[in-house]
PDB file of all heavy atoms in Angstrom:
ATOM      1  N   ALA A 175      -0.456 -23.851  16.559  1.00 37.00           N
ATOM      2  CA  ALA A 175      -1.259 -24.668  17.414  1.00 37.00           C
ATOM      3  C   ALA A 175      -2.445 -25.179  16.676  1.00 37.00           C
ATOM      4  O   ALA A 175      -3.074 -24.650  15.824  1.00 37.00           O
ATOM      5  CB  ALA A 175      -1.685 -23.893  18.632  1.00 37.00           C
ATOM      6  N   LEU A 176      -2.719 -26.569  16.995  1.00 36.00           N
ATOM      7  CA  LEU A 176      -3.986 -27.165  16.338  1.00 36.00           C
ATOM      8  C   LEU A 176      -4.945 -27.275  17.569  1.00 36.00           C
ATOM      9  O   LEU A 176      -4.693 -27.990  18.495  1.00 36.00           O
ATOM     10  CB  LEU A 176      -3.598 -28.514  15.785  1.00 36.00           C
ATOM     11  CG  LEU A 176      -4.932 -29.307  15.250  1.00 36.00           C
ATOM     12  CD1 LEU A 176      -5.548 -28.567  14.015  1.00 36.00           C
ATOM     13  CD2 LEU A 176      -4.452 -30.760  14.865  1.00 36.00           C
ATOM     14  N   ILE A 177      -6.081 -26.624  17.410  1.00 33.00           N
ATOM     15  CA  ILE A 177      -7.066 -26.519  18.511  1.00 33.00           C
ATOM     16  C   ILE A 177      -8.321 -27.033  17.975  1.00 33.00           C
ATOM     17  O   ILE A 177      -8.745 -26.622  16.951  1.00 33.00           O
ATOM     18  CB  ILE A 177      -7.135 -25.106  19.007  1.00 33.00           C
ATOM     19  CG1 ILE A 177      -5.897 -24.556  19.396  1.00 33.00           C
ATOM     20  CG2 ILE A 177      -8.239 -25.086  20.231  1.00 33.00           C
ATOM     21  CD1 ILE A 177      -5.898 -23.111  19.870  1.00 33.00           C
ATOM     22  N   VAL A 178      -8.941 -28.030  18.676  1.00 33.00           N
ATOM     23  CA  VAL A 178     -10.196 -28.550  18.304  1.00 33.00           C
ATOM     24  C   VAL A 178     -11.320 -27.716  19.019  1.00 33.00           C
ATOM     25  O   VAL A 178     -11.276 -27.700  20.241  1.00 33.00           O
ATOM     26  CB  VAL A 178     -10.420 -30.024  18.478  1.00 33.00           C
ATOM     27  CG1 VAL A 178     -11.760 -30.516  18.119  1.00 33.00           C
ATOM     28  CG2 VAL A 178      -9.314 -30.735  17.685  1.00 33.00           C
ATOM     29  N   SER A 179     -12.217 -27.123  18.359  1.00 31.00           N
ATOM     30  CA  SER A 179     -13.259 -26.262  19.021  1.00 31.00           C
ATOM     31  C   SER A 179     -14.590 -26.398  18.222  1.00 31.00           C
ATOM     32  O   SER A 179     -14.666 -26.844  17.032  1.00 31.00           O
ATOM     33  CB  SER A 179     -12.780 -24.777  18.878  1.00 31.00           C
ATOM     34  OG  SER A 179     -13.806 -24.033  19.234  1.00 31.00           O
ATOM     35  N   SER A 180     -15.602 -26.176  18.987  1.00 28.00           N
ATOM     36  CA  SER A 180     -16.988 -26.153  18.348  1.00 28.00           C
ATOM     37  C   SER A 180     -17.554 -24.737  18.126  1.00 28.00           C
ATOM     38  O   SER A 180     -18.756 -24.585  17.877  1.00 28.00           O
ATOM     39  CB  SER A 180     -17.869 -27.026  19.175  1.00 28.00           C
ATOM     40  OG  SER A 180     -18.053 -26.443  20.473  1.00 28.00           O
ATOM     41  N   ARG A 181     -16.724 -23.707  18.365  1.00 28.00           N
ATOM     42  CA  ARG A 181     -17.271 -22.378  18.326  1.00 28.00           C
ATOM     43  C   ARG A 181     -17.728 -22.078  16.877  1.00 28.00           C
ATOM     44  O   ARG A 181     -17.207 -22.446  15.891  1.00 28.00           O
ATOM     45  CB  ARG A 181     -16.284 -21.359  18.761  1.00 28.00           C
ATOM     46  CG  ARG A 181     -15.162 -20.955  17.867  1.00 28.00           C
ATOM     47  CD  ARG A 181     -14.127 -20.055  18.564  1.00 28.00           C
ATOM     48  NE  ARG A 181     -13.173 -19.576  17.658  1.00 28.00           N
ATOM     49  CZ  ARG A 181     -13.091 -18.531  16.925  1.00 28.00           C
ATOM     50  NH1 ARG A 181     -14.087 -17.818  16.850  1.00 28.00           N
ATOM     51  NH2 ARG A 181     -12.020 -18.336  16.181  1.00 28.00           N
ATOM     52  N   LEU A 182     -18.722 -21.146  16.762  1.00 29.00           N
ATOM     53  CA  LEU A 182     -19.223 -20.589  15.476  1.00 29.00           C
ATOM     54  C   LEU A 182     -18.461 -19.282  15.216  1.00 29.00           C
ATOM     55  O   LEU A 182     -18.519 -18.335  15.965  1.00 29.00           O
ATOM     56  CB  LEU A 182     -20.666 -20.343  15.660  1.00 29.00           C
ATOM     57  CG  LEU A 182     -21.430 -19.905  14.178  1.00 29.00           C
ATOM     58  CD1 LEU A 182     -21.304 -21.032  13.158  1.00 29.00           C
ATOM     59  CD2 LEU A 182     -22.857 -19.629  14.506  1.00 29.00           C
ATOM     60  N   ALA A 183     -17.746 -19.294  14.185  1.00 29.00           N
ATOM     61  CA  ALA A 183     -16.735 -18.120  13.951  1.00 29.00           C
ATOM     62  C   ALA A 183     -17.479 -17.245  12.880  1.00 29.00           C
ATOM     63  O   ALA A 183     -17.644 -17.389  11.752  1.00 29.00           O
ATOM     64  CB  ALA A 183     -15.421 -18.610  13.243  1.00 29.00           C
ATOM     65  N   TYR A 184     -17.856 -16.133  13.453  1.00 27.00           N
ATOM     66  CA  TYR A 184     -18.369 -14.888  12.535  1.00 27.00           C
ATOM     67  C   TYR A 184     -17.325 -13.957  12.183  1.00 27.00           C
ATOM     68  O   TYR A 184     -17.590 -13.097  11.338  1.00 27.00           O
ATOM     69  CB  TYR A 184     -19.551 -14.297  13.292  1.00 27.00           C
ATOM     70  CG  TYR A 184     -20.761 -15.031  13.403  1.00 27.00           C
ATOM     71  CD1 TYR A 184     -21.049 -15.738  14.471  1.00 27.00           C
ATOM     72  CD2 TYR A 184     -21.663 -15.252  12.294  1.00 27.00           C
ATOM     73  CE1 TYR A 184     -22.273 -16.715  14.570  1.00 27.00           C
ATOM     74  CE2 TYR A 184     -22.766 -16.090  12.376  1.00 27.00           C
ATOM     75  CZ  TYR A 184     -23.102 -16.793  13.516  1.00 27.00           C
ATOM     76  OH  TYR A 184     -24.147 -17.477  13.534  1.00 27.00           O
ATOM     77  N   GLY A 185     -16.204 -13.916  12.811  1.00 29.00           N
ATOM     78  CA  GLY A 185     -15.119 -12.920  12.566  1.00 29.00           C
ATOM     79  C   GLY A 185     -15.402 -11.555  12.865  1.00 29.00           C
ATOM     80  O   GLY A 185     -15.133 -10.595  12.215  1.00 29.00           O
ATOM     81  N   LEU A 186     -16.087 -11.299  14.040  1.00 28.00           N
ATOM     82  CA  LEU A 186     -16.366  -9.887  14.462  1.00 28.00           C
ATOM     83  C   LEU A 186     -15.067  -9.329  14.897  1.00 28.00           C
ATOM     84  O   LEU A 186     -14.228  -9.903  15.576  1.00 28.00           O
ATOM     85  CB  LEU A 186     -17.369 -10.067  15.621  1.00 28.00           C
ATOM     86  CG  LEU A 186     -18.749 -10.574  15.197  1.00 28.00           C
ATOM     87  CD1 LEU A 186     -19.664 -10.454  16.458  1.00 28.00           C
ATOM     88  CD2 LEU A 186     -19.363  -9.781  14.060  1.00 28.00           C
ATOM     89  N   VAL A 187     -14.833  -8.040  14.518  1.00 29.00           N
ATOM     90  CA  VAL A 187     -13.543  -7.373  14.842  1.00 29.00           C
ATOM     91  C   VAL A 187     -13.599  -6.820  16.288  1.00 29.00           C
ATOM     92  O   VAL A 187     -14.730  -6.759  16.847  1.00 29.00           O
ATOM     93  CB  VAL A 187     -13.330  -6.172  13.924  1.00 29.00           C
ATOM     94  CG1 VAL A 187     -13.204  -6.634  12.513  1.00 29.00           C
ATOM     95  CG2 VAL A 187     -14.395  -5.142  13.996  1.00 29.00           C
ATOM     96  N   HIS A 188     -12.424  -6.583  16.899  1.00 28.00           N
ATOM     97  CA  HIS A 188     -12.327  -6.106  18.023  1.00 28.00           C
ATOM     98  C   HIS A 188     -11.631  -4.758  17.967  1.00 28.00           C
ATOM     99  O   HIS A 188     -10.947  -4.470  16.953  1.00 28.00           O
ATOM    100  CB  HIS A 188     -11.583  -6.964  19.128  1.00 28.00           C
ATOM    101  CG  HIS A 188     -10.176  -7.322  18.673  1.00 28.00           C
ATOM    102  ND1 HIS A 188      -9.993  -8.140  17.691  1.00 28.00           N
ATOM    103  CD2 HIS A 188      -9.048  -6.982  19.079  1.00 28.00           C
ATOM    104  CE1 HIS A 188      -8.748  -8.393  17.495  1.00 28.00           C
ATOM    105  NE2 HIS A 188      -8.109  -7.608  18.403  1.00 28.00           N
ATOM    106  N   ASP A 189     -11.800  -3.821  18.868  1.00 31.00           N
ATOM    107  CA  ASP A 189     -11.239  -2.454  18.750  1.00 31.00           C
ATOM    108  C   ASP A 189      -9.714  -2.510  18.934  1.00 31.00           C
ATOM    109  O   ASP A 189      -9.104  -1.751  18.239  1.00 31.00           O
ATOM    110  CB  ASP A 189     -11.869  -1.614  19.906  1.00 31.00           C
ATOM    111  CG  ASP A 189     -11.551  -0.105  19.645  1.00 31.00           C
ATOM    112  OD1 ASP A 189     -10.443   0.240  19.868  1.00 31.00           O
ATOM    113  OD2 ASP A 189     -12.610   0.703  19.661  1.00 31.00           O
TER     114      ASP A 189
END
Side-chain angles (χ1 to χ4, degrees):
L176 176 64
I177 304 171
V178 179
S179 168
S180 61
R181 76 182 179 93
L182 186 63
Y184 288 99
L186 299 181
V187 298
H188 59 287
D189 190 298

